[in-house]
Amino acid sequence: GAVVSQHPSRVICKSGTSVKIECRSLDFQATTMFWYRQFPKQSLMLMATSNEGSKATYEQGVEKDKFLINHASLTLSTLTVTSAHPEDSSFYICSARERTSGGSPWGPSYNEQFFGPGTRLTVL
Amino acid sequence: ILNVEQSPQSLHVQEGDSTNFTCSFPSSNFYALHWYRWETAKSPEALFVMTLNGDEKKKGRISATLNTKEGYSYLYIKGSQPEDSATYLCAPYNFNKFYFGSGTKLNVKP
């Protein structure tokens, strides 16, 4: 199956620093990557959708200048949390959608996503 | 934003018990529903994609049903095993996005 890696798995940083999280599709080309955030006991909330070679689309309430997303290649997207503060402490997880050619068992309309294992960010 | 509710929030069962849990979602503008299984420290793993009212999918001891008219889906696990312990997420898919429930955390005791 499709594999997505995420690095780092855990990071602790001081308030005011910036943290970069990488999301890689290892064995497929991902035209679209999604970034989610999960606070304790809450659901995964979509932060932004990232298309290769274009600007990310942010969900309402997500500051684009604080959460910088770069999707420079078909296998890599990065999320940078700039000037992190304790309230940014959360679990961040990415997913990648394969470039569909119509041969997927799901059909091109279903757009299956493959998730990374997530990054636990703690800002002190 | 779609309001997706999963119940119960957590569930403790004995090995061998059968169990089920619920995902509720708005029935209007429905496109597809995904179920994921998420073990601790691992990536969420896709279980089922369901699109049609009355759909029923099965994978081994796990099965799921879908009612798009009333906006719910059930996930069933027959003869639970300790390795079934995980959080089960449902995610309606619409407007090119997934909307996740908060999940049902299943713990199967040997």
Side-chain angles (χ1 to χ4, degrees):
Chain A
V3 179
V4 175
S5 70
Q6 205 170 322
H7 178 79
S9 60
R10 187 180 294 269
V11 59
I12 301 172
C13 69
K14 292 182 179 179
S15 185
T17 60
S18 293
V19 174
K20 181 186 281 189
I21 302 169
E22 291 187 350
C23 177
R24 292 181 187 273
S25 57
L26 299 184
D27 51 2
F28 67 98
Q29 292 185 325
T31 51
T32 305
M33 289 186 173
F34 301 86
W35 287 96
Y36 295 87
R37 178 170 54 182
Q38 184 183 38
F39 291 109
K41 297 190 183 294
Q42 294 187 23
S43 57
L44 291 173
M45 293 297 295
L46 181 65
M47 297 175 67
T49 302
S50 163
N51 291 298
E52 185 262 338
S54 62
K55 289 184 180 180
T57 302
Y58 290 81
E59 294 299 297
Q60 192 173 10
V62 179
E63 298 174 59
K64 62 180 181 181
D65 294 330
K66 182 167 185 63
F67 299 100
L68 300 178
I69 292 173
N70 184 283
H71 191 165
S73 78
L74 283 171
T75 59
L76 174 64
S77 176
T78 59
L79 168 69
T80 302
V81 183
T82 62
S83 187
H85 287 94
E87 58 266 29
D88 299 322
S89 298
S90 187
F91 184 78
Y92 294 86
I93 188 168
C94 70
S95 68
R97 186 164 71 194
E98 190 169 12
R99 184 207 297 268
T100 55
S101 60
S104 164
W106 308 116
S109 300
Y110 302 153
N111 297 307
E112 184 58 59
Q113 295 184 25
F114 301 95
F115 284 87
T119 297
R120 173 74 59 192
L121 171 64
T122 303
V123 185
L124 302 176
Chain B
I1 296 178
L2 296 183
N3 185 29
V4 182
E5 295 186 3
Q6 288 189 250
S7 64
Q9 194 172 41
S10 65
L11 198 52
H12 297 261
V13 302
Q14 288 293 136
E15 181 175 356
D17 288 350
S18 292
T19 185
N20 64 85
F21 20 94
T22 307
C23 171
S24 300
F25 53 88
S27 56
S28 59
N29 297 314
F30 176 84
Y31 190 78
L33 182 92
H34 293 242
W35 277 99
Y36 286 88
R37 180 173 176 275
W38 194 4
E39 289 183 72
T40 304
K42 294 187 178 180
S43 305
E45 171 196 355
L47 287 175
F48 304 113
V49 180
M50 309 176 79
T51 57
L52 299 176
N53 185 45
D55 241 356
E56 185 169 340
K57 295 283 179 81
K58 189 174 180 181
K59 185 186 285 188
R61 294 178 292 99
I62 304 177
S63 61
T65 60
L66 178 67
N67 183 321
T68 61
K69 292 183 179 179
E70 295 181 42
Y72 64 83
S73 176
Y74 293 137
L75 189 80
Y76 301 90
I77 302 178
K78 186 177 178 182
S80 303
Q81 299 296 306
E83 57 265 29
D84 295 329
S85 297
T87 296
Y88 291 83
L89 300 174
C90 74
Y93 179 81
N94 207 342
F95 308 113
N96 211 29
K97 299 173 189 174
F98 284 92
Y99 297 87
F100 283 88
S102 54
T104 292
K105 188 170 184 178
L106 174 66
N107 181 34
V108 182
K109 300 177 186 175

